[in-house]
Amino acid sequence: MKNFYAVIMAGGIGSRFWPISRTAHPKQFIDILGTGKTLIQQTYERFLKIVPAGNIYIVTNDNYKSLVAEQLPQLAADQILGEPVMRNTAPCIAYACHKIAMLNPEASIVVSPADHLILDTEEFVKDINFSLDAASRNNCLITLGIKPSRPDTGYGYIQFTQHTLEGNLYKVKTFTEKPNAELANTFVHSGEFLWNAGIFVWSVSSILNAFDQHLHEMNEIFKEGDKNFNTPAEQPFIQNAYYQCTNISIDYGIMEKASNVYVLPTDFGWSDLGTWASVYELSEKDYLGNAVQHSKKVMMYDSSNCIVNVPPDKLVVLQGLDDYIVVEANNTLMICHKSQEQRVKEIVSEVKSKFGTEYI
C-alpha cells in the first residue's frame, strides 16, 4: 500500500445544486443526502480503506482550503493542494501527479471527484485495489465504467472492445459526452458501452508520459516546478503556473487521445449526484413518490413525485404539484419542474447578472 496514492478533486462550485450549494460553500462540503457526513468526508473515508492516510491528497480551490481543513482535520497542510484559479481537471491532475512523482516515482494513483455517491464500498475497494495493482504492472491509463441501468442522457459513455488486459480491463474504443436520447438508447442496448464515472487509475510514470505526449506544454509548465514541489517554494510556483495553463479536462486532453486507455466495468452503486433528480432517485419516498428531506413541516395535497428540501423550521404547503423540485436555502426559494432542472446553471447566471453575487 505504501506505493498507492489517492487524489480527490474538490474544486467545483456545484451550481446545479443551487441554492443549497453556493460558491462559498459548494456541494462537496454539504451533507446532501442527510447521512451525517458531507460528500468529501465520505469520499475520504472510502480511500482510507485503500491507501495510507498520508497518501491522500485533496486538490481544491484556494478559497476552499479552510473548508477542507475544517471537515478533514486529520489532513496535514501539505495534503491540501490549492488552485489559484479554476482550470478544469487536467491542470489539477498534472499538479498532484508531479508532486507525488517527486515523493515516490513508483506511485500508483487513483483520482476521484469528491462529490460522488458509492453505495457498495466493499465492491468499490475491491475494484480500486485491482486497478492500482494492474496500473503498477502495466503502462496503461485506467478509467472506471459503470454498467448502465438506463439510457441516461446526463452521462458520458465509454465504448470498449473485447481486447483485454489483466483479464478484466477492456481496451477503450471511443468516448461520447452526453448523447441524445436516441443515441443513449442505442448505446445501452448494444452492450458495448459503459457510463463514464470520472474515476481514473494509473501509475505516476504512465500519466506523466501521457501528459508529455498529449498536453506537452502543460506538462512542461509543471515539470519546471519539480524542484519546488514539497518545499516552501511550491505555493508561489503554483500561483504562477496555473495562469499559464489552458482550461481543459483530462478526458479531452488525454483520455480521448491516448492509445493505452482501458476501462474496468464496475457495479458498486454509483451516482455522480449531478442533479436534484439524482438525489430524488436515491431518497426515501412516500406512497405518492414524494421525497421530503430534513423537515417534518411539509404538507402536500394532490402532489406527487416531488423532492422538497427546506429548512426544518419552515412550514411548507404544496398543492397540485407533480414532478417538481422545491428547495429553500440561503434566503432563496427555487421551485422548478424536474424536466427543466438542466436550466439551473443558466438560472444561476441570470440571478448573478440581475442581483450580483449575494445569492450565488
Side-chain angles (χ1 to χ4, degrees):
M1 282 177 63
K2 66 181 173 57
N3 289 338
F4 289 173
Y5 289 76
V7 173
I8 299 171
M9 300 180 290
I13 58 173
S15 57
R16 287 187 182 89
F17 278 95
W18 184 83
I20 280 182
S21 177
R22 294 293 187 95
T23 302
H25 199 96
K27 74 166 182 170
Q28 59 267 33
F29 303 109
I30 298 170
D31 177 12
I32 283 184
L33 293 172
T35 63
K37 288 178 180 167
T38 66
L39 295 175
I40 193 171
Q41 288 171 331
Q42 291 182 54
T43 303
Y44 175 80
E45 288 182 6
R46 272 196 300 275
F47 283 117
L48 278 179
K49 300 176 187 296
I50 300 167
V51 309
N55 289 9
I56 300 177
Y57 290 86
I58 315 288
V59 190
T60 190
N61 190 286
D62 274 339
N63 296 329
Y64 305 147
K65 285 176 74 174
S66 59
L67 270 173
V68 173
E70 178 187 316
Q71 295 201 358
L72 299 173
Q74 55 274 67
L75 289 174
D78 66 352
Q79 290 175 265
I80 305 172
L81 314 186
E83 300 179 285
V85 286
M86 293 178 71
R87 285 290 188 266
N88 216 313
T89 53
C92 149
I93 290 169
Y95 174 15
C97 290
H98 270 274
K99 179 180 172 73
I100 291 169
M102 299 311 293
L103 290 168
N104 183 353
E106 301 298 314
S108 291
I109 304 169
V110 52
V111 178
S112 166
D115 52 6
H116 289 185
L117 176 73
I118 308 292
L119 293 175
D120 189 343
T121 299
E122 191 175 322
E123 187 69 15
F124 176 79
V125 168
K126 186 184 83 170
D127 287 338
I128 298 297
N129 274 323
F130 169 80
S131 300
L132 285 164
D133 279 330
S136 70
R137 290 189 293 268
N138 299 278
N139 176 26
C140 61
L141 309 176
I142 300 168
T143 183
L144 269 59
I146 309 299
K147 294 168 186 173
S149 57
R150 60 189 181 278
D152 199 302
T153 59
Y155 296 141
Y157 286 74
I158 302 169
Q159 184 182 22
F160 60 94
T161 71
Q162 290 307 305
H163 176 71
T164 62
L165 178 71
E166 300 260 342
N168 295 331
L169 298 169
Y170 291 81
K171 188 81 182 288
V172 170
K173 187 175 182 182
T174 62
F175 286 88
T176 304
E177 185 63 24
K178 296 182 180 176
N180 61 36
E182 186 180 351
L183 201 52
N185 196 50
T186 302
F187 286 175
V188 171
H189 285 94
S190 76
E192 296 176 6
F193 289 80
L194 301 164
W195 287 337
N196 187 352
I199 301 170
F200 309 103
V201 182
W202 39 54
S203 69
V204 74
S205 58
S206 292
I207 189 59
L208 293 186
N209 285 339
F211 267 102
D212 191 47
Q213 186 176 351
H214 303 292
L215 288 173
H216 183 73
E217 287 184 13
M218 185 181 293
N219 193 56
E220 288 298 304
I221 290 166
F222 287 100
K223 200 172 175 182
E224 283 177 21
D226 280 351
K227 64 183 181 299
N228 300 315
F229 290 121
N230 311 301
T231 77
E234 178 177 326
Q235 205 51 43
F237 166 76
I238 287 298
Q239 291 294 320
N240 179 53
Y242 258 74
Y243 286 96
Q244 301 174 55
C245 291
T246 51
N247 187 327
I248 189 168
S249 71
I250 196 73
D251 299 83
Y252 287 125
I254 290 179
M255 302 302 281
E256 294 184 11
K257 298 172 183 172
S259 60
N260 59 336
V261 179
Y262 289 80
V263 63
L264 177 68
T266 60
D267 188 10
F268 42 65
W270 170 89
S271 170
D272 71 344
L273 290 181
T275 61
W276 279 111
S278 63
V279 173
Y280 170 78
E281 291 299 325
L282 293 158
S283 299
E284 190 176 328
K285 305 169 191 69
D286 67 14
Y287 71 102
L288 290 173
N290 295 310
V292 178
Q293 299 179 311
H294 311 310
S295 177
K296 298 191 185 308
K297 295 183 180 178
V298 176
M299 302 171 69
M300 307 187 77
Y301 301 91
D302 303 319
S303 296
S304 56
N305 305 311
C306 294
I307 179 166
V308 184
N309 187 313
V310 296
D313 59 344
K314 176 76 67 172
L315 172 62
V316 177
V317 181
L318 302 180
Q319 198 281 330
L321 295 186
D322 180 54
D323 254 7
Y324 271 81
I325 300 160
V326 180
V327 183
E328 182 181 347
N330 304 304
N331 207 25
T332 303
L333 171 66
M334 184 185 77
I335 302 170
C336 172
H337 197 273
K338 275 198 221 143
S339 66
Q340 297 299 309
E341 73 165 341
Q342 295 294 342
R343 286 198 62 211
V344 172
K345 284 184 86 167
E346 181 187 328
I347 291 165
V348 171
S349 285
E350 290 174 12
V351 169
K352 185 176 181 180
S353 93
K354 192 164 186 179
F355 300 108
T357 57
E358 180 184 353
Y359 298 98
I360 308 301

